[in-house]
Amino acid sequence: MNSRTRRVALAAVAVGALTAGLTACGGDSLEGKDDSGGSGGGKGKVVIGAARFTEAKVLGELYRQILDDAGYDASVKTVENREIYEPQLAKGAIDVVPEYAATLAEFLNLKENGAKAKPVASSDVDDTVAALRKLAEPKGLKVLDAGEAVDQNAFAVSKDFAKKHKLKTLSDLGKSGEKVKIAAGDECETRPFCAPGLKKSYGIDVTGIDPKGVGTTQAKQAVKNGTDQLVLTTTTDATLENFGLVLLEDDKKLQNADNIVPVVNAKDAGDKKIADVLGKLTKTLTTDDLIELNRKVDAERQKEADVAKEYLETKGLVSK
């Protein structure tokens, strides 16, 4: 399922109306707000776009600090959603964005080919990135290499439920014959990556949807107390342990490859030096790293800039 409450919608909107108040020159505030500035450097300014949820803001800080350390004058601009920042990236008002391969591929596919477009993303990251590049390049965007870190939709059960029915994978749940109610967004009823996909790919007996949202506290609490048996969340959810929940492996690869991938404005930030700097981070960052970074911000209330700094220094990606 490609729709989640904390991530941007895939539906195309009237970009002109959304971006009417934005300035068109790189480095100026897109929404009248400059969230964090770099230390300054001699290789020029780089503006990083980040959506307004924890993980995107952490990734934006990681990009900013590693580029700063490499000598660029990097800054972060947070914007509401992809409908706003994607056209600004194409225009050069933003230079770099940490993206999700499958979600961006389908977003551009929808814009280019309309609502009846055949899906181009899949669970294969190489195929998905290839499809993304084909759609991105005509728009002046350069898609760098994707990394191991991935933030996909995922399904979790309580540890007690998993132990009782010997569950490690979604296939195990299907084979168990257990009836499950899913705590999710109400769109789960019809989205191919949610209830219909669980039924078709795994034979899971879905009895209904409890519309408590994607990965919300209420949704996870419902599974913890047994009101529901399965919750739709994401692979980088940092609070599952707090609710005594565990992810079931998507062993038949139902979900698309939403690996983290840097996307840059080809004209302004498409040189090899920027690709090499960001590539060091991309090759290092793992899904488990993302979970921990999210946890520090969401659970420990640390600042995104601080957790990014600690991570980059620990991994030897920036100088201390």
Side-chain angles (χ1 to χ4, degrees):
M1 177 173 149
N2 290 330
S3 174
R4 52 181 82 170
T5 55
R6 71 189 183 91
R7 192 177 290 184
V8 296
L10 291 180
V13 296
V15 172
L18 282 171
T19 59
L22 305 182
T23 58
C25 55
D28 289 341
S29 176
L30 300 179
E31 296 183 324
K33 179 180 180 181
D34 187 349
D35 298 273
S36 58
S39 60
K43 296 183 179 179
K45 293 183 178 181
V46 178
V47 181
I48 300 146
R52 294 187 185 278
F53 59 89
T54 296
E55 187 170 286
K57 289 188 283 187
V58 169
L59 287 167
E61 272 299 317
L62 289 170
Y63 282 27
R64 179 184 73 80
Q65 293 183 34
I66 198 170
L67 285 167
D68 252 6
D69 187 72
Y72 294 91
D73 181 5
S75 61
V76 176
K77 305 290 185 183
T78 56
V79 291
E80 188 63 31
N81 54 36
R82 185 176 285 107
E83 286 83 0
I84 290 177
Y85 69 68
E86 183 271 332
Q88 293 301 300
L89 178 64
K91 292 177 181 178
I94 295 174
D95 301 305
V96 184
V97 173
E99 264 292 1
Y100 299 86
T103 299
L104 181 59
E106 292 302 345
F107 174 85
L108 295 178
N109 186 32
L110 185 65
K111 286 188 68 176
E112 182 70 22
N113 301 308
K116 295 183 179 180
K118 182 180 178 181
V120 296
S122 70
S123 61
D124 187 300
V125 64
D126 292 333
D127 288 348
T128 298
V129 170
L132 171 57
R133 284 174 173 154
K134 187 175 181 180
L135 288 161
E137 287 173 5
K139 297 181 180 298
L141 305 180
K142 183 177 181 180
V143 179
L144 305 185
D145 292 337
E148 174 191 338
V150 61
D151 185 359
Q152 296 168 302
N153 291 300
F155 296 90
V157 297
S158 71
K159 289 182 179 180
D160 290 341
F161 189 81
K163 183 177 181 180
K164 179 179 179 181
H165 301 289
K166 300 179 180 180
L167 308 178
K168 291 185 178 181
T169 68
L170 288 170
S171 286
D172 292 339
L173 180 56
K175 292 174 184 177
S176 74
E178 289 296 310
K179 297 181 182 299
V180 299
K181 190 174 184 181
I182 306 174
D186 54 11
E187 67 272 19
C188 180
E189 186 71 43
T190 58
R191 294 294 172 87
F193 300 109
C194 202
L198 293 178
K199 294 174 183 177
K200 182 178 180 180
S201 296
Y202 290 106
I204 294 172
D205 189 356
V206 178
T207 60
I209 307 299
D210 185 2
K212 285 182 162 50
V214 181
T216 63
T217 296
Q218 294 82 358
K220 285 178 276 196
Q221 187 64 44
V223 174
K224 178 182 178 180
N225 64 28
T227 302
D228 302 326
Q229 291 72 46
L230 196 64
V231 60
L232 171 62
T233 183
T234 65
T235 52
T236 60
D237 190 326
T239 64
L240 293 177
E241 186 68 30
N242 298 347
F243 294 88
L245 306 182
V246 60
L247 291 179
L248 295 181
E249 180 188 349
D250 178 23
D251 53 306
K252 292 186 177 180
K253 308 297 183 184
L254 173 64
Q255 305 302 324
N256 283 336
D258 252 334
N259 295 62
I260 308 299
V261 58
V263 180
V264 305
N265 178 282
K267 180 180 178 181
D268 296 337
D271 63 90
K272 186 176 183 297
K273 292 180 180 179
I274 288 179
D276 287 346
V277 172
L278 294 177
K280 293 177 183 178
L281 172 61
T282 300
K283 291 176 183 177
T284 302
L285 192 67
T286 67
T287 303
D288 285 342
D289 291 340
L290 274 180
I291 293 171
E292 180 61 12
L293 290 165
N294 290 338
R295 187 192 66 77
K296 288 180 177 180
V297 174
D298 290 335
E300 297 182 3
R301 303 301 179 187
Q302 294 188 44
K303 294 180 179 179
E304 290 91 354
D306 292 340
V307 300
K309 182 175 185 292
E310 180 185 21
Y311 177 82
L312 292 171
E313 289 181 351
T314 300
K315 296 295 182 179
L317 294 173
V318 300
S319 54
K320 293 184 178 181

